Amino acid sequence: MSAVVARPPSGCDAPPILRERGQREVFCGLTGIVWLHRRIQDAFFLVVGSRTCAHLLQSAAGVMIFAEPRFATAIIEERDLAGRADMDDELDRVVGRLLERRPDIRMLFLVGSCPSEVIKLDLSRAAARLTRQFLPQTRVLSYSGSGIETTFTQGEDACLASLVPELPGSDAKQLLVAGALPDAVEAEFAGLFAQAGVGPVRFLPPRRATELPAVGPGTTLILAQPFLTETTRLLEGRGARLVTAPFPIGAEGTTLWLQAAALAMGADAARVEAAMAPGIARAKAGVARHRPMLEGRRIFFFPDSQLEIPLARFLSRELGMELVEVGTPYLNRQHLAGEFELLPSNTQISEGQDVDRQLDRCRAAAPDLVVCGLGLANPLEAEGLATKWSIELLFSPIHGFEQAGDLAGLFTRPLRRRAVLEV
Amino acid sequence: MQLTLWTYEGPPHVGAMRIATAMTGVHYVLHAPQGDTYADLLFTMIERRDRRPPVTYTTFQARDLGGDTAELFKTAARDAVERFRPEVLLVGASCTGELIQDNPEGLTRGLDVPVIALDLPSYQRKENWGASETFYQLVRRFAAGRPLPREGRQPCCNILGPTALGFRHRDDVREIESLLGRLGVAVNVVAPLSASPADLARLGEADFNIVLYPEIADTAAQYLQKQFGQPRVKTVPIGVAATREFVAEVAALAGLSAAECERNSNLPWYSRSVDANYLTGKRVFIFGDATHAIAAARVAVKELGFELVGLGTYSREYARDVRQAAASYGLEALISDDYLDVEARIAATEPELVLGTQMERHICKRLGIPCAVISAPVHVQDFPARFSPQMGFEGANVLFDSWVHPLMMGLEEHLLAMFREDSEFAEGAAPSHLGVGAMPLTEEAPAGADVLVVEDAQWDAEAEKQLKRIPIFVRGKARRNTEAFARERGLASISLQTLYDARAHYAR
Ligand code: SF4
Ligand code: SF4
């Protein structure tokens, strides 16, 4: 299918970005529910969709099937489509049954899907109606995680964006960190900011739906994830000031990110350095252990999480890897500006996907390591290429100083394993 | 709208993918949004396939809606034909594709390849139906040929039903092929697994068909019977008795003697050996697809001596068969694809063993009940590296091992009862062969389970103490029986005397 050539991100010697429109092999935004429901612990995610949506969620959630999950699907059936049942009544009935079963739920997200979008089911109206019915016990919000509108991590963006209008207003000076982070990472950042004398610091999404952070003209906003376009736009609309920096991945990324946030908050530079110094030393030592295995090795990224650019920057600058192609489903040039400056100028970036053509390129380049989704990993391994599943990069803590060594380890593991095996 | 936490079956196009992926020379162009590509990982991760499923998804986006999606489909189909050179192109839509009504069939006119348009109504049907329909359409399109004269050749048959992502299909086929080989029956075509459209064109050359998985292949086999006069073997050879019947049925159709295959399973002797005595009357709950559930019930009751306390299926298409089977054991079948219903029923029937799917395995983990998997839906551990069929005589051996293993071994159970008061054999100790991670067995219903405990008779302290002395594995049963005994007699409390009376009553 079509490959359009766009202008390079920076510098005139950079190869043009390859923009492709063909078959994509990427999850839809519903997938974000798998980690978001663990982050906001009193929220429930109800997808209004098809059996396919339910099957996607359970396949992506895989091993997490143990407990009764805080997500489910209201499966649209033939009689709903044929108008034999009133969709609003049906939805009310399903939500009623759900909340009766789970009185602990404080926030319910109605999550739109492709089918609900195509038949133009108005979930925001339904959410407003249900909120009136269930407040004060439960607030009902809506967003779309549909595959026709969102790619994988954009589902988190849509979810957080739906929270923004709910945030209380405040003019007070504060730092707001946006993007879902694992507990350990959030704790690390909170500790570093405290030591650097930066505060107060709030996180979006919060642990509990009842503890929404405030936002307003005094808010300095920094993004922990590179895929929050819509959330950022809305937060800026509420008066927050965005600080752009490289993302807090690796020793360098984390340093620049913390510095940017702290200085924007008026912190004392020396104090910031002092707070970071031990973390930087540990991160560098952790990363250095893995460098011999990765240095000079060639890596190829299939588009998946939008974390590809920051990861490529980390692997190239801190581990000496050579970037063959960095594929990403979608580029936010403004948010990634800081990253582009650090990428080697000859990096081939591709945006969008035509999976068969990309596989051709990958095979031709024969990289030492391929970062790709679960659908591609075993077939590529069978062809002799070493792979790293990209989804693990979303489910494991990878941000911050303390995780930098482990993050590097995620990339050496497939190579170490190959070196060990004699069968 | 149906509120769903977990689903037993995927959408019907996933069934079509199981057929396309099983076969060679088939490519499937699916009008679907990007997220639907998750289905690839079912095959590449769960089944560890070394190739991508032969599926091209159009991955249309919102901006394509209202105009460009048809063009997108055409381009995708043309590119797929050019790149993969299939012998047949399947075209169809997923749930979202169905709503935008682009008519995939019309859009593939002029392509230089046979095209089968699949009409799989996503909002009514499910995975197994989709697989069955897809296989039927392929068979209808390609099946041809007629049997050669019988003189001077072996009788021959087709094996129908095995697919990609099927529960032990790969191993069942190998076991049944070798069984047929020992009987002197040649296998003409196995389909859909590993078959090409050209192979389907030879289906008519067989004398009869063997339907291993009715959910997938019965419709196609009925068509072949009508069109080619091929009779079909209906017995599914799961368990020793069913395998013997299967052999007899095959032998009759093939005009051969079945004597050769009689002594080929260890199950009958293992089941009669003294160690297996403790299996008698173990309460077992069975849930799965209809074929595996019905077969498992028969094996459990008649070949292992378990007591069946529940039987059910998520295959509504086969509800009648399962109801009938359940009734023959004096039970009412559970026909449901609601995971919560199944969980509630398991909790209520207090089985000592559950034979189910991956869903039941998770339910049992939570409830602390031993469980073995007998049916799809599958997970990665249902594709073991070793040869591990469910069917045939070797399959019966596998059933014995894999169903008995989760239970306490006979001797160990006795030792536990004898040394109950020693600290090493503390209450709730799990069988040692289950490893450190195994869930301790407890009599109490786990927290969170929706079990209704009707406290109609109170246990007094002495009776309660004696109850605690009864080995944990039979304690649930003792408690239930005693309470039922007390209830029947309208007793308000249960004393030591009641306990003894009840025991004497049930021992008769
Ligand atoms: S792509 Fe659309 S239809 Fe498919 S799972 Fe995602 S939301 Fe559901
Ligand atoms: S270890 Fe396993 S096999 Fe050995 S006695 Fe214990 S339960 Fe039986």
Side-chain angles (χ1 to χ4, degrees), chain A residues 109-120:
Chain A
F109 290 97
L110 302 178
V111 188
S113 65
C114 303
S116 78
E117 298 290 328
V118 170
I119 63 172
K120 305 214 162 24

Side-chain angles (χ1 to χ4, degrees), chain B residues 240-414:
Chain B
V240 173
T243 302
R244 285 182 184 147
E245 278 168 36
F246 171 86
V247 166
E249 210 179 328
V250 167
L253 286 173
L256 297 167
S257 143
E260 211 278 317
C261 285
E262 279 297 318
R263 325 163 295 273
N264 280 319
S265 174
N266 293 324
L267 186 146
W269 168 239
Y270 273 46
S271 210
R272 282 172 196 279
S273 72
V274 290
D275 188 80
N277 255 315
Y278 79 103
L279 298 176
T280 317
K282 288 268 183 203
R283 297 166 58 81
V284 59
F285 182 98
I286 296 178
F287 194 84
D289 69 17
T291 301
H292 286 90
I294 293 171
R298 179 175 179 183
V299 175
V301 172
K302 309 236 159 105
E303 301 184 14
L304 294 170
F306 292 153
E307 181 194 347
L308 192 65
V309 298
L311 177 63
T313 186
Y314 55 83
S315 318
R316 288 189 187 276
E317 290 93 341
Y318 287 80
R320 233 188 52 200
D321 300 344
V322 177
R323 283 208 180 93
Q324 222 167 47
S328 75
Y329 300 104
L331 295 169
E332 194 184 324
L334 173 63
I335 312 292
S336 174
D337 60 355
D338 187 336
Y339 168 85
L340 297 174
D341 282 354
V342 181
E343 181 178 63
R345 187 71 76 94
I346 290 178
T349 49
E350 299 182 41
E352 290 161 281
L353 174 69
V354 171
L355 304 175
T357 73
Q358 282 297 327
M359 305 287 176
E360 284 66 49
R361 202 173 64 81
H362 288 290
I363 291 173
C364 288
K365 247 187 202 162
R366 213 130 46 97
L367 301 183
I369 301 171
C371 178
V373 174
I374 56 152
S375 158
V378 288
H379 196 47
V380 65
Q381 67 253 57
D382 297 317
F383 294 89
R386 67 178 186 281
F387 177 56
S388 185
Q390 299 286 290
M391 293 186 176
F393 293 117
E394 183 57 27
N397 294 338
V398 171
L399 298 186
F400 185 93
D401 289 347
S402 51
W403 297 3
V404 168
H405 180 86
L407 297 165
M408 190 68 64
M409 299 294 129
L411 185 58
E412 191 173 20
E413 185 168 336
H414 289 306

Side-chain angles (χ1 to χ4, degrees), chain A residues 1 21-28 46 48 50-52 54-59 61-69 71-81 87 90-91 93-94 97-98 101 114-115 118-119 121 146-152 354-357 359-360 363 374-380 382 389, chain B residues 1-14 33-38 40-42 44-45 48-53 55-65 68 72 75-76 79 83-84 94-96 98-100 121-127 337-341 343 358-359 362 365-366 377 379 450:
Chain A
M1 291 192 191
R21 271 196 67 191
Q23 179 184 324
R24 288 165 163 255
E25 179 85 18
V26 191
F27 290 145
C28 60
L46 180 65
V48 182
S50 63
R51 182 165 301 280
T52 315
H55 203 228
L56 162 109
L57 272 182
Q58 104 182 29
S59 307
V63 293
M64 297 168 44
I65 202 164
F66 293 92
E68 182 169 329
F71 57 82
T73 309
I75 296 185
I76 299 171
E77 294 168 304
E78 182 64 21
R79 52 190 214 104
D80 301 306
L81 295 175
M87 290 259 213
E90 284 291 296
L91 194 56
R93 180 179 60 78
V94 166
R97 181 175 165 206
L98 181 70
R101 203 184 148 79
C114 303
V118 170
I119 63 172
L121 190 60
S146 83
I148 54 176
E149 283 161 327
T150 61
T151 297
F152 201 16
D354 182 326
V355 68
D356 287 313
R357 289 162 56 136
L359 282 165
D360 290 345
R363 291 180 182 118
L374 295 174
L376 297 176
N378 267 335
L380 287 175
W389 322 334
Chain B
M1 267 177 210
Q2 192 199 352
L3 180 62
T4 308
L5 273 76
W6 305 111
T7 70
Y8 284 92
E9 290 182 77
H13 69 259
V14 168
Q34 60 185 344
D36 293 9
T37 61
Y38 80 87
D40 283 0
L41 78 86
L42 304 172
T44 63
M45 295 303 291
R48 300 179 212 251
R49 286 202 163 243
D50 61 357
R51 250 164 293 177
R52 296 171 62 212
V55 181
T56 296
Y57 306 80
T58 55
T59 61
F60 55 83
Q61 295 178 292
R63 60 165 185 252
D64 304 316
L65 292 179
D68 285 9
L72 208 62
T75 318
D79 286 356
R83 179 177 281 269
F84 300 105
S94 75
C95 51
T96 312
E98 185 180 332
L99 293 174
I100 61 177
S122 310
Y123 297 91
Q124 294 171 32
R125 302 296 195 163
K126 289 180 272 185
E127 181 177 333
D337 60 355
D338 187 336
Y339 168 85
L340 297 174
D341 282 354
E343 181 178 63
Q358 282 297 327
M359 305 287 176
H362 288 290
K365 247 187 202 162
R366 213 130 46 97
H379 196 47
D450 291 329

